[in-house]
């Protein structure tokens, strides 16, 4: 019998926690969600431990949710469906699924049938044998368009690896295996799901992050939710990642360093102009250098003040860090009274 939990993401009493949770964000995938569930069940049939499937409906406007709910009565399937109140984006949907997951290990994959669930048992085994906290899928033979998908992805992977120091071939692959105790320490924000390995590297050594070749299929149903425009978003997000990785807990150091630097230049310029005026008797009233010196001084004051405000905001953020970045409308759970 299926049950509807109206109050949020609590664990249903009396149900033993599974070993592995499969988290799948879905958005307008009515043609894919049914075959996806069938593939997951087929792939996990021989898995030795208990597992659950967590589908997160990210405000779909088609029959995705209705189709998924039809599987709540499927025998042998531990299924939970999290319905978000509106479309919050893939990162928030993934965060909702991770928060809901009860397994010791968590696997994430896309709902468009391009990731193959048959890779999951092998990846779980590899994660345990290699003693990793995160194992990332590598779509070596990616079945996507060259110009709109592959080339932007190659550029993004190179930039992310150079800036974050986490060397992987494929950051964008959604097929990943995590230790729940690690990924639940990371709060995903904005559209930062592309940088999950970098976020994980902020709580564990990068040596505990690995990758593995996985199967990738061409999209059969629907259309991609991403285009060439995501390249520009990746660049902006990458700058944010670089800032958060280095200065998240001390933003005042970032702005303060810039402020001190501009202040030092301002002091040099104004000191030189003072010497020219007092010692050499030069007229400095119309000198562009005087304007530059005062502008640098004002910039220095603004940057240092911004750093102080950023420190205050950071402390407020850490006090309120438990606030989720999504809103759940309903959670559907099978196997409970």
């Amino acid at each position: 019998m299926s049950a509807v939990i109206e109050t949020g993401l609590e664990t249903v009493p009396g149900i033993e926690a599974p070993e592995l949770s499969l988290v799948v964000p879905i958005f307008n995938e009515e043609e894919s969600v049914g075959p996806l569930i069938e593939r997951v069940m087929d792939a996990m049939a021989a898995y030795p431990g208990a597992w659950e499937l967590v589908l997160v409906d990210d405000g779909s406007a088609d029959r995705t949710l209705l189709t998924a709910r039809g599987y709540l009565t499927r025998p042998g399937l531990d299924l939970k469906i999290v319905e978000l109140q509106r479309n919050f984006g893939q990162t928030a949907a993934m965060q909702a699924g991770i928060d809901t997951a009860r397994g010791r290990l968590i696997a994430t994959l896309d709902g468009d049938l391009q990731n193959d669930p048959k890779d999951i048992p092998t990846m779980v085994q590899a994660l345990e044998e290699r003693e990793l906290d995160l194992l990332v899928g590598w779509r070596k033979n990616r079945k996507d368009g060259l110009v709109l998908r592959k080339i932007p992805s190659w550029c993004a992977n190179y930039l992310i690896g150079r800036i974050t120091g986490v060397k992987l071939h494929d950051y964008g692959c959604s097929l990943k295996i995590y230790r729940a105790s690690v990924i639940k320490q990371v709060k995903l924000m904005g559209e930062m799901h592309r940088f999950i390995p970098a976020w994980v590297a902020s709580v564990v050594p990068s040596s505990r992050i690995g990758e593995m070749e996985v199967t990738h299929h061409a999209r059969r149903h629907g259309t991609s939710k991403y285009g060439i425009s995501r390249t520009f978003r990746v660049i902006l997000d990458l700058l944010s990642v670089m800032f958060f990785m280095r200065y998240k807990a001390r933003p005042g150091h970032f702005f303060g360093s810039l402020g001190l630097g501009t202040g030092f230049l301002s002091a040099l310029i104004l000191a030189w102009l003072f010497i020219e005026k007092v010692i050499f008797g030069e007229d400095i009233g119309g000198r562009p250098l005087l304007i530059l010196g005062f502008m640098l001084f004002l910039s220095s004051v603004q940057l240092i003040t911004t750093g102080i405000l950023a420190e205050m905001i950071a402390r407020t953020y850490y006090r309120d860090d438990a606030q989720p970045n999504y809103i759940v409308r309903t959670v559907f759970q099978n196997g409970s009274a």
Side-chain angles (χ1 to χ4, degrees):
M1 181 182 297
S2 65
V4 179
I5 305 172
E6 299 286 357
T7 55
L9 302 179
E10 66 269 21
T11 302
V12 178
I15 298 181
E16 183 180 356
E19 174 73 10
L20 172 66
S21 298
L22 281 66
V23 174
V24 187
I26 48 178
F27 175 62
N28 290 344
E29 300 285 2
E30 62 177 325
E31 295 177 304
S32 301
V33 66
L36 170 70
I37 296 174
E38 297 289 348
R39 287 190 185 184
V40 167
M41 293 187 67
D42 180 61
M44 302 300 294
Y47 185 73
W51 59 276
E52 67 173 352
L53 176 60
V54 180
L55 298 179
V56 184
D57 180 63
D58 189 24
S60 296
D62 57 6
R63 295 174 59 86
T64 297
L65 179 61
L66 186 62
T67 303
R69 288 179 61 183
Y71 285 85
L72 285 169
T73 56
R74 185 70 173 266
L77 175 62
D78 185 355
L79 174 63
K80 181 179 288 185
I81 303 173
V82 180
E83 180 192 5
L84 300 189
Q85 190 161 297
R86 61 169 177 82
N87 178 244
F88 288 91
Q90 186 176 359
T91 302
M94 191 173 292
Q95 181 72 69
I98 290 171
D99 291 343
T100 305
R102 299 174 294 130
R104 182 180 65 87
L105 302 176
I106 297 176
T108 58
L109 65 157
D110 280 334
D112 55 11
L113 300 178
Q114 291 193 269
N115 296 139
D116 197 330
K118 290 185 178 180
D119 289 319
I120 293 176
T122 306
M123 292 183 71
V124 169
Q125 182 179 358
L127 178 112
E128 298 284 26
E129 290 177 352
R130 295 163 61 180
E131 298 183 350
L132 300 174
D133 291 322
L134 167 60
L135 184 61
V136 181
W138 174 18
R139 298 166 294 181
K140 189 173 184 179
N141 297 311
R142 187 173 178 179
K143 308 299 183 182
D144 282 323
L146 178 64
V147 176
L148 294 181
R149 302 298 298 275
K150 288 186 178 180
I151 292 179
S153 181
W154 291 336
C155 295
N157 289 329
Y158 174 78
L159 289 173
I160 296 169
R162 290 282 295 181
I163 291 178
T164 64
V166 183
K167 305 296 184 181
L168 297 173
H169 289 90
D170 190 358
Y171 274 83
C173 182
S174 295
L175 183 53
K176 298 179 176 73
I177 310 293
Y178 314 83
R179 294 192 189 275
S181 59
V182 172
I183 190 58
K184 287 180 181 284
Q185 296 179 45
V186 179
K187 182 176 180 180
L188 306 179
M189 301 176 293
E191 288 297 317
M192 299 299 187
H193 57 275
R194 305 179 188 92
F195 307 102
I196 286 179
W199 295 124
V200 171
S202 67
V203 296
V204 299
S206 57
S207 60
R208 296 187 66 88
I209 300 174
E211 64 181 347
M212 173 180 171
E213 290 186 27
V214 295
T215 306
H216 191 246
H217 301 287
R219 175 181 274 272
R220 295 184 180 181
H221 306 290
T223 58
S224 173
K225 309 302 187 294
Y226 306 102
I228 192 68
S229 62
R230 74 173 183 158
T231 305
F232 304 104
R233 296 198 298 270
V234 167
I235 294 174
L236 294 175
D237 287 342
L238 186 56
L239 294 175
S240 299
V241 169
M242 182 175 63
F243 176 82
F244 274 97
M245 287 188 68
R246 298 180 182 179
Y247 300 103
K248 178 181 178 181
R250 49 188 182 93
H253 288 198
F254 174 78
F255 293 105
S257 298
L258 293 178
L260 291 176
T262 55
F264 179 71
L265 289 177
S266 172
L268 288 179
I269 292 172
L270 295 178
W272 171 251
L273 291 175
F274 178 80
I275 292 172
E276 283 197 330
K277 176 66 175 178
V278 174
I279 298 179
F280 299 104
E282 297 287 343
D283 183 14
I284 64 171
R287 299 278 295 272
L289 202 59
L290 179 63
I291 299 176
L292 177 61
F294 274 109
M295 291 299 295
L296 288 174
F297 172 75
L298 293 176
S299 297
S300 174
V301 173
Q302 288 181 326
L303 286 168
I304 292 174
T305 304
T306 300
I308 295 172
L309 293 174
E311 288 283 348
M312 296 172 64
I313 293 172
R315 282 157 174 71
T316 302
Y317 167 81
Y318 280 113
R319 285 199 302 267
D320 300 334
D321 200 27
Q323 183 67 27
N325 58 344
Y326 56 86
I327 302 174
V328 173
R329 181 187 300 277
T330 311
V331 177
F332 303 92
Q333 170 78 47
N334 66 352
S336 60

